[in-house]
Amino acid sequence: RERTEIAPGAVHVPGYLTLEQQRELVDACRGWASRMRHTKLPSGGVMSVQTVCLGWHWLPYRYSRTVDDIDGAPVEPFPDWLGQLGRDALATAYATPTPYAPDAALINFYDDAAKMGMHQDKEERSPAPVVSLSIGDTCVFRFGNTETRGKPYTDVELRSGDLFVFGGPSRFAYHGVPKVLAGTANPASGLTTGRLNLTLRETGLT
Ligand code: MD3
Ligand code: FE
């Protein structure tokens, strides 16, 4: 199948998920959706994306076993089937079996207006890759460099069913989502509007 390495360790696999797998993931995410929140930033801002976490709760800028910034409830468990999907995704992207034991998922929902600014993901204590799965509306994903928030960067469209893996030298690159392309979702994906992104991570925490 098609695999594009946009930078060392950063591999895009278009159409990785079947429509049936996309619908199953959307259904699972609907079960967690009542816990989706706009994360508050220490700057006083609020993220436009809505997020729910599994396994470990991410808050700026650490992980917790409890939803410390909302109600202190225990974080939802990270299901085994999602770890299996992550291992299959990594093996497909890197075209070689690679040990992978993700213990956290961040599930982000983007409405038409949501964006994510350029940032690095540095809260994990493991060098393992991040697996990203996209469903629903197409977005413009911006993949930058490890030195600065700005140029040089590469813009890539992520469509429903696409897999992206970020490992090796790409693991700590700046990245963001400057735009969601409204109205591009295929209803057969399970989403009629908006974009879902699941990222699987090894936190390296105990
Ligand atoms: C590159 N999410 O949750 S996925 C995030 O589409 C995040 O919701 C975006 O950035 C989204 O932190 C982008 C692609 C992605 C995720 C994690 C990465 C790219 C990454 C970690 C390191 C390098
Ligand atoms: Fe990120």
Side-chain angles (χ1 to χ4, degrees):
R1 62 158 93 227
E2 184 183 350
R3 294 169 51 247
T4 307
E5 191 163 36
I6 68 157
V11 180
H12 181 199
V13 184
Y16 167 71
L17 296 169
T18 65
L19 285 167
E20 184 180 354
Q21 284 177 304
Q22 294 171 51
R23 286 193 296 272
E24 285 171 3
L25 279 169
V26 170
D27 278 346
C29 290
R30 289 195 204 286
W32 295 305
S34 68
R35 304 173 81 99
M36 281 205 156
R37 295 292 190 283
H38 294 275
T39 303
K40 291 187 179 66
L41 298 170
S43 60
V46 167
M47 292 177 72
S48 56
V49 169
Q50 298 181 65
T51 305
V52 60
C53 302
L54 312 178
W56 288 89
H57 181 71
W58 178 83
L59 61 167
Y61 291 95
R62 64 187 175 93
Y63 281 102
S64 168
R65 282 295 199 185
T66 44
V67 185
D68 295 349
D69 51 344
I70 305 291
D71 57 2
V75 65
E76 293 289 329
F78 182 95
D80 288 338
W81 61 264
L82 196 51
Q84 284 297 340
L85 179 61
R87 272 186 286 282
D88 181 83
L90 190 58
T92 301
Y94 284 175
T96 183
T98 309
Y100 191 48
D103 61 346
L106 271 68
I107 303 173
N108 291 324
F109 180 76
Y110 293 72
D111 67 15
D112 289 359
K115 308 165 186 246
M116 193 177 287
M118 294 294 277
H119 66 278
Q120 295 170 296
D121 291 14
K122 293 193 298 193
E123 288 75 31
E124 298 81 15
R125 293 286 163 269
S126 159
V130 173
V131 164
S132 155
L133 299 166
S134 295
I135 303 175
D137 281 338
T138 300
C139 78
V140 177
F141 170 67
R142 182 164 291 173
F143 183 76
N145 60 81
T146 53
E147 305 303 318
T148 77
R149 264 193 170 72
K151 292 179 179 177
Y153 49 69
T154 306
D155 285 352
V156 185
E157 284 194 359
L158 290 185
R159 297 190 175 76
S160 201
D162 287 8
L163 162 67
F164 225 123
V165 169
F166 301 89
S170 293
R171 175 65 181 79
F172 296 105
Y174 281 92
H175 58 278
V177 176
K179 194 177 179 55
V180 171
L181 305 180
T184 52
N186 173 359
S189 69
L191 272 190
T192 52
T193 181
R195 168 174 186 263
L196 262 183
N197 180 265
L198 291 88
T199 55
L200 311 186
R201 299 132 190 263
E202 276 188 15
T203 63
L205 302 172
T206 55

